[in-house]
């Protein structure tokens, strides 16, 4: 083959390599720019913007969002181990029910492995949901709890789309709203509006 179509094969190979190197370069430059590392800004980060950006650039922790409430630590371990050796997984919990509420933190030993998790695992379908892997400034005790007013994640209180994984409990204090609250899936605050 190479003797007959040698030139066309080598041109194709070169084009492939060019695509690969453009991709590699753009990924590398993306990961050097702290502003492009994550769109999320943690309002509870205990430092300056500069310190936050430095933490994002060096941390070995990633945040996983849009998870099913039924995904287990074992499943997460199996998936995220593909990017590298894992130091610890911390499940995100509803602060009232103490049950998983759709996020977690994965701590790697190496920065390269954390970058690979963001590059290659983000968007993977896990328990029928496309998970989002984001750089994180680093886990601290207390960050495992949902910060929403009802105990879970803030975003779940504002969602306007139907999410079959979200179970909405009845509001026993306000009986007149019970009919709205028995059907789960839409953001709780949105339902109240
Ligand atoms: N690294 O993207 C993230 C991320 N998120 C969304 C949460 N955490 C994240 N970490 C990284 N990247 O430790 C971390 C938090 C905390 C834990 C639980 O997960 O640092 P939380 O989701 O319950 O609370 O956090 P948080 O993050 O303080 O809430 P925030 O920033 O207000 O809102 C989260 C999302 O909810 C927003 O991105 C937005 O999509 C949605 N949202 C918030 N307010 C509104 C609103 N008024 N209207 C519409 N949508 C809203």
């Amino acid at each position: 083959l190479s003797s007959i179509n040698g030139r066309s094969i080598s041109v194709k190979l070169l084009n492939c390599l060019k695509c690969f190197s453009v991709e590699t370069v753009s990924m590398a430059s993306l990961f050097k720019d702290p502003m492009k590392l994550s769109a999320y800004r943690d309002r509870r980060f205990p430092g300056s913007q500069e310190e936050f950006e430095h933490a994002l650039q060096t941390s070995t922790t990633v945040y996983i969002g849009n998870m099913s409430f039924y995904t287990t630590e074992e499943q997460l371990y199996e998936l995220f181990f593909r990017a590298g050796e894992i130091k610890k997984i911390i499940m995100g919990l509803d602060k009232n029910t103490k049950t998983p509420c759709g996020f977690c933190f994965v701590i790697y030993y190496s920065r390269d492995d954390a970058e690979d998790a963001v590059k290659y695992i983000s968007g993977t379908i896990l328990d029928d949901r496309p998970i989002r892997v984001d750089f994180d400034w680093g886990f601290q005790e207390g960050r495992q709890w949902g910060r929403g007013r009802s105990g879970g994640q803030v975003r779940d209180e504002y969602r306007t789309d139907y999410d079959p994984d979200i179970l909405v409990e009845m509001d026993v204090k306000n009986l007149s709203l019970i009919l709205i609250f028995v059907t789960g899936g839409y953001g709780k605050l949105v339902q109240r509006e």
Side-chain angles (χ1 to χ4, degrees):
L1 258 177
S2 62
S3 61
I4 303 166
N5 286 326
R7 191 174 172 279
S8 101
I9 285 176
S10 53
V11 168
K12 278 182 190 149
L13 189 64
L14 190 67
N15 284 340
C16 267
L17 285 175
K18 269 193 215 154
C19 292
F20 178 74
S21 61
V22 167
E23 178 71 9
T24 312
V25 167
S26 60
M27 275 293 187
S29 56
L30 183 86
F31 285 172
K32 275 191 191 118
D33 182 350
M35 298 306 285
K36 289 186 185 149
L37 281 180
S38 171
Y40 175 77
R41 174 76 170 92
D42 187 359
R43 289 163 296 139
R44 300 197 193 174
F45 176 75
S48 65
Q49 177 65 22
E50 218 172 44
E51 286 165 332
F52 181 70
E53 287 171 8
H54 181 258
L56 275 189
Q57 279 175 307
T58 52
S59 160
T60 59
T61 302
V62 290
Y63 159 93
I64 325 300
N66 200 36
M67 275 167 47
S68 161
F69 289 14
Y70 307 107
T71 296
T72 63
E73 203 173 316
E74 288 70 31
Q75 284 173 282
L76 289 164
Y77 192 89
E78 198 183 309
L79 177 62
F80 283 90
F81 184 71
R82 295 178 197 185
E85 205 181 329
I86 294 168
K87 195 174 188 180
K88 199 171 179 188
I89 293 180
I90 298 122
M91 295 298 282
L93 302 173
D94 181 302
K95 61 176 175 278
N96 297 329
T97 61
K98 312 283 185 278
T99 54
C101 67
F103 74 99
C104 77
F105 297 96
V106 175
I107 307 177
Y108 285 100
Y109 284 98
S110 111
R111 171 68 184 185
D112 282 352
D113 296 344
E115 291 189 2
D116 281 349
V118 174
K119 265 193 263 180
Y120 303 119
I121 303 182
S122 196
T124 299
I125 308 290
L126 183 59
D127 279 335
D128 296 331
R129 301 174 71 87
I131 54 169
R132 182 169 65 89
V133 185
D134 192 28
F135 285 109
D136 188 75
W137 60 270
F139 178 74
Q140 279 191 353
E141 182 51 38
R143 292 196 67 205
Q144 70 271 39
W145 305 114
R147 296 173 181 174
R149 273 191 261 164
S150 52
Q153 281 209 276
V154 174
R155 63 188 299 275
D156 287 330
E157 299 186 330
Y158 289 97
R159 69 168 68 247
T160 51
D161 57 322
Y162 182 79
D163 190 331
D165 268 354
I166 311 287
L167 295 172
V168 178
E169 75 277 12
M170 288 196 294
D171 186 347
V172 285
K173 284 187 204 139
N174 191 346
L175 290 177
S176 62
L177 286 181
I178 279 183
L179 275 180
I180 304 173
F181 282 93
V182 286
T183 53
Y186 293 96
K188 295 184 190 182
L189 297 182
V190 169
Q191 287 181 40
R192 286 197 177 96
E193 283 165 6

